[in-house]
Amino acid sequence: MRRLFFAAGNTAVPGAALLARIAFVLIGMQAVQVCAETIFDVEKVLAGVPPVVAQGATIALQDGQVIHRVKIENLRALLEVHKRIGEVSKLQATLAIAIHREANAFAIPLPGRNLILVTTGMMDVIGTDSGMIAALLGHEYAHHYMKHALQRALQLPEFVYGAIAIGNDVGREVGSRLVAARAANAAFGLMHASFSRQQEAEADKVGTELMSDAKYDPEGAIRFFSAMLKLYGAKPTGYSDSHPGSEERLAKAAPTVLNQSYDSIAITLKEQKNWRSLGRIVDQWLKASPDSARAWYYKGIVLKVAKRTGALAAFEKSVAYDPNFYPGRLALCIELYVAGRERDSIVCAEYIPKNELFNEYVASTFKHPVYVGGIHPQRVITAQDVKVVERLMAQDR
């Protein structure tokens, strides 16, 4: 295996050694944060509690010599929100708490399962406020939903090799192995922190969407970030910070909360088939948030129901602003088929999850699960397959 070195005059630092040190530090930090305390499965803790208890009743948790009493109503509120967000995210996760005075929470991927860990300090902050609890758990579920831990693992070599390159440059300039190593470590820390902040911002946005999908008031996110701001104070986000500051998170939450508030209204109007009111709401929505994928999705629906032009363009904007907003993508793929662009429709559909959404696409278009691009060819070629292929081939002539 090729070895990497920091060149600094007659000195050299093996890159593999740096990689090992960094990996050890990262693993060690996680172990200190997560494994230093006893972890209590919330569902198991509540399993032995009678259905009816006095208001304010507590249950004792023991971690070594420390005994901490947690309000049963707080645990039940936490578990209820956990179940509802788990349902809408379609993810399985174990909810646990740990005795620690710091207000914190973690999304931890474990072999074969996901873990969401909340500290007792955080439980003191959120109490039984279902909106604040949903904001917290929505954020942690979003980390699992977006596979952020895997992304960090995949990005680690790029950070390491980037740090090695910077260490090499500094080493050549100053001729010091120690300064080169320090520069490399600092560079790695800054790159990793920047990537982490991006993920945290993404988890805030997706988490607010998840809590709204679970029918919790998105204003809970504002209350949650305000509480954290009050607890820890306003602190500008630094280059080496792994999380954005509470003030920044609160400012960024406001547009997302606005979107989710409009979205909740739009869902109700769509279910009621109140297209005129939906059209008015969507126009207001787009004025307030012109880059909202969901707003453009509903705009397309209104135009399509009214049999007016522009539905396809609206769905295209929805997907352009958020490629992972699957209702918008499904609508676009179907509309491409309706417009006679079968090939584009099939290519679009390759990015639809293979679940009930994909089944809806099939039922609304080719009426048959035709797969292209080497996904899943049918064992038996039917007359319907032949017809579809002939139509696609005719477009190339």
Side-chain angles (χ1 to χ4, degrees):
M1 183 175 74
R2 185 168 62 91
R3 298 187 71 194
L4 300 173
F5 293 89
F6 294 126
N10 295 324
T11 64
V13 176
L18 174 66
L19 177 60
R21 285 202 300 273
I22 290 172
F24 178 78
V25 169
L26 288 176
I27 294 170
M29 287 174 61
Q30 187 179 39
V32 168
Q33 289 178 326
V34 177
C35 299
E37 300 89 9
T38 301
I39 295 174
F40 303 90
D41 185 313
V42 174
E43 201 155 8
K44 291 181 179 178
V45 169
L46 288 173
V49 177
V52 180
V53 296
Q55 186 175 2
T58 62
I59 187 168
L61 302 178
Q62 184 168 359
D63 180 8
Q65 299 299 316
V66 177
I67 297 177
H68 187 88
R69 304 199 72 87
V70 182
K71 288 185 178 180
I72 294 172
E73 60 199 43
N74 291 9
L75 287 173
R76 285 178 170 166
L78 189 71
L79 184 60
E80 170 61 23
V81 176
H82 163 70
K83 289 180 177 179
R84 281 173 58 178
I85 294 184
E87 287 176 3
V88 300
S89 68
K90 296 182 172 27
L91 286 175
Q92 295 290 328
T94 299
L95 177 65
I97 59 172
I99 300 174
H100 200 288
R101 64 183 178 182
E102 182 181 355
N104 215 335
F106 306 91
I108 308 165
L110 299 174
R113 67 188 178 114
N114 298 313
L115 177 68
I116 292 177
L117 180 64
V118 181
T119 65
T120 50
M122 178 61 80
M123 292 186 65
D124 291 338
V125 174
I126 57 181
T128 57
D129 185 322
S130 60
M132 291 176 65
I133 298 171
L136 171 70
L137 295 185
H139 177 94
E140 302 307 330
Y141 260 103
H143 279 309
H144 286 308
Y145 182 80
M146 304 301 293
K147 295 182 170 57
H148 281 163
L150 176 61
Q151 290 179 17
R152 285 196 298 273
L154 294 175
Q155 201 74 15
L156 182 60
E158 182 176 330
F159 295 157
V160 171
Y161 295 133
I164 288 172
I166 291 173
N168 268 323
D169 291 341
V170 172
R172 280 191 291 267
E173 288 179 9
V174 302
S176 168
R177 173 176 176 171
L178 179 60
V179 173
R182 287 176 177 172
N185 285 330
F188 175 87
L190 291 174
M191 288 186 287
H192 185 268
S194 175
F195 188 73
S196 176
R197 289 196 302 273
Q198 293 174 29
Q199 289 191 327
E200 292 300 324
E202 187 177 44
D204 283 344
K205 178 178 181 297
V206 174
T208 305
E209 293 173 354
L210 287 175
M211 68 178 288
S212 182
D213 289 343
K215 308 301 182 186
Y216 289 105
D217 183 358
E219 286 288 340
I222 298 294
R223 294 198 301 276
F224 174 72
F225 291 129
S226 297
M228 298 303 289
L229 180 62
K230 183 178 179 180
L231 182 64
Y232 290 111
K235 183 177 79 72
T237 305
Y239 289 113
S240 60
D241 292 340
S242 61
H243 287 57
S246 296
E247 195 170 22
E248 180 182 336
R249 295 176 76 178
L250 179 60
K252 288 183 175 179
T256 304
V257 169
L258 177 67
N259 270 324
Q260 294 310 119
S261 298
Y262 273 118
D263 187 56
S264 298
I265 299 171
I267 288 172
T268 301
L269 294 175
K270 180 174 178 284
E271 290 173 348
Q272 296 173 347
K273 297 185 178 180
N274 189 343
W275 308 119
R276 181 173 296 181
S277 295
L278 180 58
R280 288 197 296 266
I281 286 294
V282 167
D283 288 341
Q284 295 174 16
W285 191 353
L286 285 172
K287 285 181 182 179
S289 184
D291 59 352
S292 169
R294 297 187 179 214
W296 281 109
Y297 163 68
Y298 286 111
K299 180 70 172 180
I301 288 177
V302 170
L303 292 172
K304 186 169 182 176
V305 169
K307 297 183 179 179
R308 294 165 55 192
T309 59
L312 177 58
F315 293 141
E316 286 177 332
K317 285 188 176 182
S318 175
V319 173
Y321 283 123
D322 188 353
N324 294 321
F325 178 52
Y326 294 118
R329 179 171 290 280
L330 173 63
L332 172 61
C333 298
I334 293 174
E335 197 64 19
L336 287 169
Y337 173 84
V338 172
R341 294 166 57 181
E342 287 94 344
R343 182 182 293 277
D344 291 338
S345 176
I346 292 177
V347 172
C348 172
E350 290 185 21
Y351 297 92
I352 298 176
K354 299 306 180 284
N355 53 25
E356 62 272 11
L357 285 177
F358 190 80
N359 294 336
E360 184 177 343
Y361 166 74
V362 171
S364 303
T365 55
F366 297 97
K367 317 294 183 186
H368 189 281
V370 179
Y371 296 92
V372 294
I375 301 178
H376 288 295
Q378 292 288 309
R379 292 183 178 180
V380 178
I381 299 176
T382 67
Q384 181 70 35
D385 292 331
V386 174
K387 182 179 178 182
V388 171
V389 172
E390 286 176 347
R391 289 176 66 182
L392 292 174
M393 292 179 64
Q395 289 185 345
D396 293 334
R397 292 173 186 161

